[in-house]
Amino acid sequence: MKTKEEIQKLRQDIIDVCLSLLDNGLIVRTWGNVSAKLDDEHFLITPSGIKYEDLEPLMLPVVDMNDLSYEGEFKPSSEMLVHKAIYSSRRDAEFIVHTHQTYASLVGTLGKTKLKVEKNNVRIAFPIADYALPGTTKLAENVKKSANLFPETKSIIMSNHGSVSFGRSAQEAVNEAYRLEKASKAYINTICRTQIKPATDEGYSSYLENGKIVYEKADTPNRVKQIHELIYAKRSDVKYIYHIRSEAVLLISRRANHMKPLLDDFAQIVGTGIRIPTSEGQRKSVKKTVNAVFSYNDGAYCLGESRDEAMACAIVLDKGCLAHIAATRFGKGNFLSYFDCYKMNSNYRKNYSNLSHLVK
Ligand SMILES: [Zn+2]
């Protein structure tokens, strides 16, 4: 049984971990969640939909592992089933971090069952849990299976989604997450022969003010302005367009083909698939339910109701492009089914249409 002071410290530990993972880029926005075990039947977890910067210790709900009921004003993260699965199967788990960290997520799109690493003659393997839709019992079962099959590892990659890392303390769990990311990055860089980093380099963005288009840069070329005009004309819900010209997005924009989602957050925020147009096909490239529009050899335009939303789309699109590059160079990618993408996308639109930070 933990004392009041110990519980208070764990509440603060969770917030400190969220903020440090944000600072170091393992968590972006609120895309992830963190928990701490209180006893065999209860754990604390980050609430759903609250920015980590706004979190206070008493805002963290306490979840009952028996029936998933919770105490507290705020609803627990929708990924609490995954946390419960780990606490109930691994005695060495007292603290868990779940992130959508870039390189582990990329490894989880290649259709592999584990990531093997050898360092100083020590071999370790990170299991890759089978795919299931986020928030489902099936996903928790898949993670549990990996936790049981690999009793020596404290990190599990979740196919097409992200990863979970755990330990006996906050520090141990965080160290595990970094160790996994380092190993994943080394793997992606060598096997996939790419050094491309996550980025959101900005080209020519714009917003709507009193029905008029305002360009962020005075020297926006006319050919770019035409695309902005086309998007605002076809999408009345769009108020901000962020032009992303990162290395990964530029590379993908040079290929005229169809981009299917490899990651859950892509299906949720960007859309169920994007066609990369040839220079002549721009007109048809603006779709009602897809929040990014590629421009041949010039990156992509990410759409939102605000700059914040459009930026969220740009971050997710960039990671999606990195995943495509990695999968292409690896030789295969484990693409999500259209049915799963459709389900996630429509669910996301219904629940979080104006709250782009709410991806789990
Ligand atoms: Zn997640």
Side-chain angles (χ1 to χ4, degrees), residues 31-33 79 98-100 134 158 161-162 359-360:
W31 300 334
N33 32 75
E79 297 289 19
H98 162 53
T99 73
H100 298 175
M158 297 153 75
H161 186 105
V359 178
K360 284 296 145 202

